[in-house]
Amino acid sequence: MKIWSYSRPFTFHGHSCEIKVTLTQSETISSLFIDNFLVDEQYIKYTDGITIFVHPLRTPSGFEAKVEVGYFNWRNVGIAVTENGRLVHESHPGEDLSYGEALMEDLYGMKEHASEAGESKWAQNKYSIYADLGLAALFFIVSKVTGDLVLAAIVGGVTGLGLIVLQRFVKADLLGGFAVFGTIMLAISTAFSLVLQDSYWVQMKSTALGLFTAALFMADGLLRQGAYFGARFERYMPGPLHHNRLAIGMSIMGIVSAGGNYVVAENFSEDFWLMYTTFLDFPIFMLSFLVILRWARKSEGATA
């Protein structure tokens, strides 16, 4: 399923050419068209990272070149056409198309330097991650089976509160590093669904609570240098991070996510919103999160 696409048209020796970059749920696809005919297509799965696509360009009249396609910032794609070693076209002149690759190299470097820490953190937090995924799946399944978003929200909230009770009787960490805060937010979320028993407000809950949470993260990052949220989020991450930057970055991401939820809820069907909030926003979240990690990562030798 297509989530987003970019179109970068250009002309090469009288031929109408176009690069189309398509983002799906699982991969990025780059396609080269010459005179409306598909001549080359490449793809990379999100799990394999981000790369610069290089398309061979050969026109029917015999001219040859190569087309490089890559991210020049966290949200936009550009192209560069080179013929015989000479740059003949740029969609965004002067931009560095290797931004995405550099981002992934930074993250892979962080992973290599902290592989043991990452494994220990996964072992420490895997049950809380399973619990989060289970709650999301439960909300989606109940919504699809019953067609009632209010009921799904209440069932999810009650189940989440049940996990808090269960935590008292099991050794596995089901709540992660946000036990107190998570309990409070889950209680607020459940109360929200019970008081405002309307499908529209169930959809708006992510926006309202998202903005509220983003404000708390921003306050923590600016006023307390990330001492609460930033420090707790770091326990999930491989490698040391600046707590204040992590908290501020998560706040910005929360604001963007809340805005996206509002736009989808206001302009699309309830079924599409359910699909979006359960599945489609994940690639956007991951790309944004990678940018935040790059910004928040401590350089080697840094202590603060």
Side-chain angles (χ1 to χ4, degrees):
M1 177 182 294
K2 182 176 77 172
I3 299 174
W4 192 259
S5 65
Y6 302 91
S7 175
R8 299 291 179 259
F10 63 98
T11 301
F12 183 70
H13 289 285
H15 294 276
S16 177
C17 304
E18 182 184 17
I19 289 289
K20 287 186 178 179
V21 178
T22 304
L23 308 182
T24 72
Q25 289 180 262
S26 60
E27 62 189 8
T28 301
I29 304 171
S30 181
S31 308
L32 170 62
F33 293 84
I34 300 178
D35 296 327
N36 295 320
F37 288 98
L38 176 64
V39 296
D40 189 51
E41 188 167 80
Q42 302 172 22
Y43 71 92
I44 185 170
K45 294 186 178 298
Y46 297 134
T47 53
D48 294 329
I50 302 173
T51 189
I52 296 179
F53 296 104
V54 181
H55 295 281
L57 173 57
R58 301 181 182 89
T59 68
S61 50
F63 294 100
E64 296 187 4
K66 67 176 182 179
V67 185
E68 295 179 297
V69 185
Y71 281 94
F72 61 86
N73 60 33
W74 68 273
R75 62 181 178 83
N76 212 342
V77 168
I79 67 170
V81 183
T82 305
E83 181 183 16
N84 296 325
R86 183 173 61 92
L87 185 64
V88 296
H89 174 78
E90 286 183 288
S91 62
H92 298 78
E95 297 290 354
D96 181 7
L97 303 185
S98 65
Y99 174 88
E101 280 194 341
L103 174 63
M104 295 309 300
E105 287 174 2
D106 280 353
L107 293 172
Y108 287 147
M110 181 173 67
K111 183 177 180 181
E112 290 174 1
H113 283 86
S115 58
E116 292 184 3
E119 290 176 3
S120 65
K121 288 183 178 182
W122 166 251
Q124 179 183 7
N125 297 300
K126 62 181 180 180
Y127 295 109
S128 62
I129 295 173
Y130 292 153
D132 289 340
L133 293 175
L135 289 174
L138 179 64
F139 176 78
F140 179 78
I141 292 170
V142 174
S143 298
K144 295 300 287 184
V145 171
T146 67
D148 189 338
L149 290 181
V150 175
L151 176 61
I154 294 174
V155 169
V158 171
T159 304
L161 293 174
L163 288 177
I164 296 171
V165 176
L166 180 62
Q167 181 67 85
R168 298 176 62 88
F169 302 98
V170 298
K171 293 183 178 180
D173 184 5
L174 303 177
L175 305 178
F178 295 88
V180 176
F181 178 75
T183 301
I184 295 172
M185 289 305 299
L186 191 56
I188 293 175
S189 176
T190 305
F192 194 102
S193 300
L194 287 170
V195 174
L196 300 173
Q197 294 197 23
D198 180 83
S199 293
Y200 174 78
W201 285 109
V202 170
Q203 292 175 282
M204 284 296 106
K205 181 172 68 173
S206 294
T207 295
L209 297 185
L211 291 175
F212 173 68
T213 305
L216 296 179
F217 271 74
M218 185 65 74
D220 181 56
L222 294 176
L223 303 179
R224 304 185 70 244
Q225 298 299 303
Y228 186 83
F229 295 114
R232 281 160 175 76
F233 249 106
E234 189 191 27
R235 68 176 289 184
Y236 294 96
M237 302 297 110
L241 302 171
H242 291 283
H243 296 166
N244 59 335
R245 292 187 179 187
L246 186 58
I248 292 170
M250 294 301 294
S251 173
I252 295 172
M253 190 167 68
I255 293 170
V256 172
S257 178
N261 181 79
Y262 177 82
V263 170
V264 172
E266 286 286 343
N267 295 282
F268 296 91
S269 68
E270 189 175 288
D271 279 344
F272 182 82
W273 172 85
L274 181 61
M275 185 68 67
Y276 168 83
T277 194
T278 308
F279 300 111
L280 301 185
D281 62 343
F282 181 72
I284 301 172
F285 169 85
M286 285 304 300
L287 184 58
S288 302
F289 191 60
L290 291 177
V291 174
I292 291 170
L293 284 184
R294 187 186 188 194
W295 179 56
R297 193 187 74 175
K298 289 183 179 179
S299 59
E300 292 186 11
T303 58

